[in-house]
Amino acid sequence: MRETKISIVVPVYNAEKELQRCVDSIFRQSFSNWELLLIDDGSRDSSSALCDRLGAQDTRVRVWHKENGGVSSARNLGICKAEGEYLFFTDSDDTLFRSRCVPVMIRVPGYPGNFISKGKSIRRGSFGVRFYISGGTDERMCG
């Protein structure tokens, strides 16, 4: 059986002091089939360069740079670029517990109300983190 892939989207804006800790916590996840999408939202500090360094260190890390448009704009770009079957959003100043991505795999089959189609409205799961089921993107958003 093929292991499901999770796309972890992290909007980055002036996060030079927190980003490394966040990324380190993602690398420590007990679930290892993930890709990390760092979306630099026009940072004015060294976050942009840090994103590039992190992207060069591991093929699972992909980086995009864009003009500042806010966190929603950065997340939308992440949704459009994601290749995983599931999306997981976290902020650049968050530290994830080692098993944080595991509930996605456990809860999807039994609790469909906590998860929604990619490109549709947002609903919070019971873990307080937004999860999305990848199922095609809205062409108006990713055009």
Side-chain angles (χ1 to χ4, degrees):
M1 183 171 108
R2 184 178 68 78
E3 189 176 37
T4 303
K5 184 176 185 178
I6 298 174
S7 294
I8 303 170
V9 178
V10 179
V12 177
Y13 181 73
N14 294 346
E16 65 186 4
K17 294 178 180 166
E18 302 92 9
L19 183 59
Q20 185 69 57
R21 180 176 37 85
C22 174
V23 171
D24 288 345
S25 74
I26 291 168
F27 274 93
R28 287 191 300 268
Q29 289 299 297
S30 57
F31 181 83
S32 61
N33 193 22
W34 49 262
E35 67 171 344
L36 173 58
L37 289 79
L38 297 174
I39 313 297
D40 174 37
D41 191 32
S43 294
R44 296 177 184 222
D45 63 3
S46 63
S47 298
S48 181
L50 178 55
C51 287
D52 289 337
R53 281 195 304 277
L54 293 166
Q57 292 174 1
D58 192 300
T59 58
R60 296 176 295 176
V61 180
R62 299 189 297 142
V63 177
W64 281 270
H65 301 278
K66 59 180 280 311
E67 288 185 26
N68 182 259
V71 68
S72 295
S73 169
R75 286 183 181 141
N76 286 343
L77 178 59
I79 290 169
C80 294
K81 300 298 184 181
E83 295 176 355
E85 295 172 62
Y86 299 97
L87 296 173
F88 182 98
F89 291 95
T90 192
D91 294 325
S92 57
D93 62 347
D94 290 343
T95 301
L96 304 182
F97 292 109
R98 183 168 154 64
S99 61
R100 190 61 170 159
C101 290
V102 174
V104 174
M105 310 320 303
I106 294 169
R107 296 192 61 82
V108 169
Y111 300 90
N114 288 330
F115 304 91
I116 56 172
S117 296
K118 188 174 180 183
K120 306 289 183 192
S121 61
I122 296 173
R123 180 174 176 189
R124 283 194 176 265
S126 62
F127 291 99
V129 177
R130 285 158 289 208
F131 300 98
Y132 300 80
I133 296 175
S134 174
T137 55
D138 185 334
E139 293 303 319
R140 294 167 294 174
M141 183 173 70
C142 298

